[in-house]
Amino acid sequence: DNDAQRWWLPALAAIAWLALLFGVSIALLRRDGSSVAVAVNAVYVFPFRVADLQPNVGLFWYFFTQIFERFRSFFVIVVQLQALVCSIVMAVRLHQWPEFLAAALLAVYGIF
């Protein structure tokens, strides 16, 4: 019964970890003298804009060179949601093997 009352500890740890990563990324980007808005745009808005379409090992550049411009925003949302849903499904399914889950998530993030 005591473990059931501590359900919020992993959620709190995840939120604290995300806040730490957010702070570190903002601090590293501000070293160049940019504002917080520019830093947030560079880290968190850029993946949803897909403005820089240079060839790389991921699927984004190839996928977005093949679609019509009017469907661009729809496919940005679909591709981002696909990576999110895939990550959630793997986390639920592979929670017993955290090392394998980490490797699989890195592979998925490398592809998308």
Side-chain angles (χ1 to χ4, degrees):
D1 225 2
N2 198 12
D3 289 336
Q5 294 175 353
R6 293 188 200 180
W7 62 268
W8 52 272
L9 283 176
L12 184 64
I15 290 170
W17 181 249
L18 288 174
L20 176 73
L21 288 177
F22 180 76
V24 168
S25 67
I26 296 297
L28 289 175
L29 286 170
R30 289 202 60 186
R31 281 191 332 185
D32 297 334
S34 61
S35 67
V36 175
V38 172
V40 168
N41 187 27
V43 174
Y44 300 103
V45 177
F46 178 77
F48 294 102
R49 283 200 175 150
V50 193
D52 186 19
L53 289 176
Q54 296 179 358
N56 58 24
V57 296
L59 292 177
F60 262 10
W61 76 270
Y62 179 75
F63 189 69
F64 286 105
T65 58
Q66 300 296 321
I67 63 170
F68 293 115
E69 192 63 33
R70 65 180 178 201
F71 298 121
R72 185 182 184 88
S73 60
F74 171 74
F75 281 109
V76 167
I77 293 170
V78 168
V79 169
Q80 294 291 342
L81 283 178
Q82 181 182 7
L84 176 68
V85 168
C86 186
S87 301
I88 291 171
V89 169
M90 284 195 306
V92 168
R93 186 74 176 132
L94 300 174
H95 72 278
Q96 297 163 338
W97 303 285
E99 295 87 6
F100 182 67
L101 174 61
L105 288 175
L106 285 174
V108 167
Y109 294 147
I111 291 172
F112 290 106

